[in-house]
Amino acid sequence: MRVPRRLHDIHLLTLDLAAALLIAIVYVGFTRMPGDGVQPHYSGPAWAGVLVAAAVAFPVAARRPWPVPAAATALVGASAASLLDITREPWAAVGLTLYAVALTTPPRRSVPVLAASLALAAAAVLAGEAVVTPAETWSGAAGVAAMVWLVLGCGWAAGFAVRTRRAREADHAAHRSERAVVEERLRIARELHDIVSHSLSLIVVKAGVALHVAQRRPEEAEDALRVIEQTGRAAMTEMRRTLGVLRAGSPSAPLGPTPGVDALGGLADQARRAGVKVDLDVRLPDGGLPAGMALAVHRIVQESLTNAVKHAAPTRCRVTVEADLREVRIDVTDDGVQVSAPNGRQVTG
């Protein structure tokens, strides 16, 4: 189950607050630790130690909404802790804030923040360990500084790696979305082509008939014009249904059922009105065909009848659709173009 974004953010902020409280408690404990002959201890006032602990810890709670200010505050607090002999751990709080910096800000900003953090951390550790209250040799202090650098660098690198992975996933998602849009546009374009090509073919054929017989046989011209009107209205209705996909929720463009094998009779009637005598034979298994296959059969027969109307009308056309559990077979044949021979007889061209 996918967690809502707001609840996810609240969860992460709660974890950051818990980590900040834990770090604050640990640092306050550092201020109360007694020293020994090797490791110096904090000897300042208690309120100053609590203030330094808060400066180190509480930026962790604010690292997601304000990553750079949080990192700067934690860096100042950790530097003060090192100079005052409070620090007993390798600047984990600063590493956590640098993780947020690398995660939420572009490299052109996060890299300078990392560089400044490494420089200030090295200066504070070397000064605290080898100058202010010498507890290490310079080589020992450099080793401590190297450990601090490792923590800070790993924190930043982890954030940068997660940012890179998320950016890559976002690019892949954008490409998938763009590809889906292109595929949907192609699907709609094919649907519109099938609708417009079939209907316009009938309209063109009938318009030619009406023009040819308008003066000699006006009743045939009227029939042709009636077919043109009916075909045009049907095409407009189907186009509205198809374009309704692009206007989701529009009451003026309700979506109709996907055309299938049941609509083949309507295609045959349209072809008959355009001068093609269609013999339709459909044999299907019990339960019919899946919706996607039925649509494919419908479009194949539609395109075949359109070609018959465009290139062979008036003619006779036989359409046979046979299907079983393994395959679908579609046969569309016509008698060719009927032309007049010199003796007046009709022959097939």
Side-chain angles (χ1 to χ4, degrees):
M1 182 177 65
R2 188 177 182 85
V3 179
R5 184 66 182 175
R6 182 175 177 82
L7 294 179
H8 180 69
D9 291 342
I10 292 175
H11 176 69
L12 292 178
L13 291 175
T14 302
L15 290 178
D16 286 345
L17 180 60
L21 291 174
L22 179 61
I23 294 173
I25 293 172
V26 170
Y27 264 75
V28 171
F30 287 162
T31 64
R32 299 176 179 274
M33 291 179 63
D36 52 35
V38 178
Q39 180 67 47
H41 66 284
Y42 174 69
S43 58
W47 63 266
V50 173
L51 183 61
V52 171
V56 173
F58 287 115
V60 174
R63 64 183 181 135
R64 296 184 192 274
W66 303 290
V68 176
T73 304
L75 184 64
V76 172
S79 299
S82 293
L83 295 174
L84 295 174
D85 296 322
I86 297 176
T87 305
R88 296 292 190 277
E89 54 85 31
W91 294 38
V94 181
L96 291 175
T97 58
L98 288 178
Y99 170 87
V101 169
L103 178 65
T104 58
T105 60
R108 67 176 182 274
R109 292 185 58 195
S110 65
V111 171
V113 172
L114 173 64
S117 300
L118 294 178
L120 185 57
V125 170
L126 291 175
E129 294 289 335
V131 178
V132 177
T133 53
E136 295 280 356
T137 62
W138 280 100
S139 60
V144 176
M147 184 179 298
V148 171
W149 274 22
L150 179 63
V151 172
L152 302 191
C154 287
W156 183 92
F160 181 77
V162 174
R163 176 184 176 87
T164 302
R165 177 178 58 81
R166 290 180 179 178
R168 185 166 55 249
E169 291 176 353
D171 289 340
H172 291 336
H175 290 157
R176 288 193 298 270
S177 177
E178 182 178 355
R179 186 165 56 251
V181 170
V182 171
E183 291 175 355
E184 182 66 11
R185 287 176 177 172
L186 290 176
R187 187 188 68 80
I188 294 174
R190 287 193 297 267
E191 290 290 317
L192 290 177
H193 169 268
D194 292 338
I195 296 169
V196 173
S197 176
H198 181 73
S199 299
L200 286 184
S201 296
L202 297 179
I203 290 173
V204 168
V205 170
K206 281 303 181 180
V209 171
L211 180 64
H212 184 69
V213 301
Q215 295 182 351
R216 292 177 299 167
R217 295 191 296 274
E219 66 281 357
E220 292 187 20
E222 291 181 2
D223 292 339
L225 292 175
R226 190 175 297 109
V227 171
I228 290 174
E229 179 188 12
Q230 294 173 354
T231 303
R233 290 183 182 276
M236 289 179 62
T237 300
E238 195 168 355
M239 285 184 64
R240 288 194 188 100
R241 291 174 178 174
T242 302
L243 293 176
V245 176
L246 305 178
R247 300 195 303 269
S250 173
S252 61
L255 294 177
T258 301
V261 179
D262 294 340
L264 294 182
L267 295 179
D269 291 339
Q270 289 181 339
R272 292 186 186 105
R273 290 196 294 268
V276 177
K277 298 178 181 179
V278 180
D279 297 327
L280 180 63
D281 183 15
V282 179
R283 294 189 290 271
L284 300 178
D286 294 338
L289 298 176
M293 188 176 297
L295 176 61
V297 171
H298 180 276
R299 292 308 184 199
I300 292 172
V301 174
Q302 184 182 49
E303 184 68 19
S304 301
L305 291 178
T306 298
N307 291 333
V309 169
K310 290 168 62 176
H311 305 297
T315 188
R316 178 179 292 277
C317 183
R318 288 166 294 280
V319 178
T320 303
V321 178
E322 295 179 289
D324 54 29
L325 299 178
R326 294 181 300 173
E327 64 179 6
V328 177
R329 180 181 178 87
I330 303 173
D331 291 321
V332 181
T333 58
D334 61 65
D335 294 340
V337 180
Q338 301 292 329
V339 296
S340 296
N343 58 6
R345 298 178 60 188
Q346 296 289 327
V347 298
T348 301

